[in-house]
Amino acid sequence: MRGGGLWQLGQSIARRQLARPDHKKSPSAAAAAARRYFASEGDLKKTVLYDFHVANGGKMVPFAGWSMPIQYKDSIMDSTVNCRENGSLFDVSHMCGLSLKGKDAIAFLEKLVIADVASLAPGTGSLTVFTNEKGGAIDDSVITKVTDDHIYLVVNAGCRDKDLAHIEEHMKAFKAKGGDVAWHIHDERSLLALQGPLAAPTLQHLTKDDLSKFYFGEFRILEINGATCFLTRTGYTGEDGFEISVPSENALDLAKALLEKSEGKIRLTGLGARDSLRLEAGLCLYGNDMEQHITPVEAGLTWAIGKRRRAEGGFLGAEVILKQLADGPTIRRVGFTSSGPPPRSHSEIQDASGANIGEVTSGGFSPCLKKNISMGYVKSGLHKAGTNVKLVVRGKAYDGVVTKMPFVPTKYYKPS
């Protein structure tokens, strides 16, 4: 889910950079490419860490209305590998955190998402999808049941405006019928993502809470480096890690403390490596791999539809989604490895005879596996691992094979 749609940014900068032998593409060229798709510098919002990024060599590009670092002094390739070997610190404050509160908060949210929110234990969460009336994905989000009357969730930066308008529209109707729910948008907070094998030992230096008893998908409100933070053990890389919602006035001190406690092994990391990491982990990027016309079933997120929700429905588009669960979808999201140049979003997928069977939605060169990886949608029946396909890049077809995802094994911290 996480990081907002890297649709234009990833296409014009990050993946192009990964694909080239001279992947240390000049920052001026990268920034120029990004500006063709985004607002002028003067229109961009800045996170509280903006000056810190620039001081540390961050190459800032416009993204989803914000000026964000795509990389720092190291290459995207090196930064991706370092996250898996040591760790990364991402500023993801452009994403939107919000709380829903009230005795009917869960009942309200369950009208909009596919998750069985009511069955979550307090202090736990899950990936979910906001759906429209046709069952398509409005956005994906990580939601947490803090208590029975408090839900915390984070939505993608590129979807903020439409998500908030969607929630607000339905909240007004819900409240008009007597429902008890209110919301607060956490614009007073910043969001940091600490990822990689050194994430937990580094963070442990800054909190008295025992992180060894804090597992993947869990949430706590606790003191970190002297500030009251919302801590979720989650991430967008496939590695163990945390997302830390911190009061904005404390964000800079926390970022500095995390880097210092890691003794330089955890590095500031930009959106370029974040995209390659999530692709290696087989995670969807909204705007590429999920859109308004793609259902959670087609996207391979059937597991996120709670058992009770499958029986009862009650969310937008439930009729379409439950029918797909019963009959099977006509298309499915799958992974690929391939020869030749890396496939890109919109690259055609063909069967062995050259007939069109689908389209790539994300692709690039894997810094960790040192080979091409991609994902996309194919016709059902051609989605099984080991199926040989052709991927068309710049008019030429190259050999590929349907490959089980994640491409790089996940390392989420779970009870043994």
Side-chain angles (χ1 to χ4, degrees):
M1 113 175 226
R2 324 287 301 166
L6 281 172
W7 171 239
Q8 299 286 11
L9 182 65
Q11 294 304 303
S12 61
I13 307 170
R15 295 178 206 146
R16 185 175 301 167
Q17 195 176 44
L18 285 172
R20 295 185 175 184
D22 60 337
H23 60 259
K24 296 180 181 179
K25 182 180 177 181
S26 73
S28 60
R35 288 191 193 99
R36 287 199 295 271
Y37 295 103
F38 294 92
S40 66
E41 294 286 352
D43 297 330
L44 298 173
K45 290 177 278 190
K46 296 177 180 178
T47 75
V48 296
L49 296 183
Y50 175 86
D51 291 337
F52 186 60
H53 296 313
V54 173
N56 282 276
K59 298 168 178 64
M60 311 303 289
V61 298
F63 172 63
W66 295 78
S67 182
M68 298 297 294
I70 188 166
Q71 67 181 102
Y72 294 84
K73 294 175 183 177
D74 53 353
S75 71
I76 290 175
M77 299 277 281
D78 292 342
S79 192
T80 301
V81 172
N82 185 70
C83 180
R84 301 219 186 277
E85 292 182 347
N86 295 297
S88 289
L89 180 63
F90 303 89
D91 178 10
V92 290
S93 303
H94 58 312
M95 297 177 70
C96 178
L98 62 139
S99 288
L100 297 172
K101 293 187 176 182
K103 67 180 180 62
D104 298 320
I106 292 173
F108 167 69
L109 184 59
E110 285 196 344
K111 292 180 177 296
L112 305 182
V113 302
I114 60 176
D116 184 352
V117 187
S119 294
L120 290 172
T124 67
S126 175
L127 177 72
T128 194
V129 179
F130 284 86
T131 49
N132 58 33
E133 289 80 358
K134 296 181 179 179
I138 294 174
D139 196 7
D140 58 341
S141 172
V142 172
I143 59 167
T144 300
K145 182 201 277 188
V146 183
T147 64
D148 286 335
D149 57 4
H150 179 192
I151 305 296
Y152 172 70
L153 60 151
V154 177
V155 300
N156 287 311
C159 297
R160 173 181 170 131
D161 290 347
K162 72 169 183 177
D163 287 357
L164 296 185
H166 176 72
I167 294 169
E168 185 174 34
E169 176 190 355
H170 286 273
M171 188 184 297
K172 284 180 179 177
F174 186 81
K175 293 173 75 170
K177 296 178 180 178
D180 176 29
V181 62
W183 66 347
H184 174 73
I185 301 165
H186 291 290
D187 285 339
E188 78 285 359
R189 289 182 165 268
S190 296
L191 190 64
L192 304 179
L194 182 67
Q195 300 285 293
L198 297 183
T202 299
L203 184 60
Q204 189 64 77
H205 288 296
L206 302 178
T207 183
K208 294 178 181 177
D209 285 56
D210 183 0
L211 299 180
S212 71
K213 296 179 174 63
F214 182 46
Y215 299 108
F216 178 71
E218 293 186 347
F219 172 95
R220 291 182 190 172
I221 298 176
L222 73 173
E223 294 291 309
I224 300 175
N225 202 44
T228 301
C229 297
F230 303 163
L231 184 67
T232 311
R233 197 152 196 167
T234 188
Y236 194 49
T237 64
E239 297 295 317
D240 180 30
F242 306 86
E243 290 188 356
I244 311 166
S245 174
V246 56
S248 289
E249 63 268 26
N250 304 115
L252 179 58
D253 287 344
L254 177 56
K256 288 179 177 178
L258 289 167
L259 295 171
E260 179 186 336
K261 292 298 182 182
S262 79
E263 299 178 341
K265 292 181 179 179
I266 290 177
R267 300 180 197 164
L268 286 169
T269 308
L271 294 178
R274 189 169 166 83
D275 194 39
S276 59
L277 287 158
R278 71 92 195 168
L279 180 56
E280 290 181 338
L283 299 174
C284 287
L285 174 66
Y286 192 87
N288 276 38
D289 314 301
M290 273 201 299
E291 295 189 70
Q292 299 263 11
H293 63 279
I294 296 292
T295 73
V297 181
E298 293 165 344
L301 300 177
T302 298
W303 59 269
I305 307 171
K307 184 177 179 181
R308 176 176 61 84
R309 309 310 307 276
R310 298 184 197 197
E312 299 176 1
F315 51 88
L316 292 175
E319 184 177 336
V320 174
I321 290 171
L322 298 184
K323 188 175 188 304
Q324 286 187 343
L325 287 173
D327 302 341
T330 58
I331 59 171
R332 298 175 189 260
R333 180 175 66 95
V334 295
F336 306 95
T337 53
S338 61
S339 62
R344 298 286 175 242
S345 179
H346 300 305
S347 291
E348 182 185 358
I349 305 167
Q350 300 176 344
D351 64 15
S353 68
N356 181 293
I357 58 168
E359 184 176 270
V360 171
T361 52
S362 289
F365 181 78
S366 165
C368 296
L369 299 177
K370 302 295 187 288
K371 62 183 179 182
N372 299 335
I373 58 173
S374 57
M375 66 174 78
Y377 287 83
V378 297
K379 295 176 181 178
S380 289
L382 298 169
H383 64 282
K384 294 180 180 176
T387 301
N388 291 318
V389 297
K390 299 285 187 180
L391 301 179
V392 180
V393 183
R394 294 191 289 274
K396 185 175 179 180
Y398 296 90
D399 290 335
V401 62
V402 175
T403 304
K404 188 177 180 181
M405 295 186 288
F407 300 102
V408 174
T410 57
K411 299 172 186 172
Y412 303 131
Y413 184 69
K414 298 180 179 182
S416 56

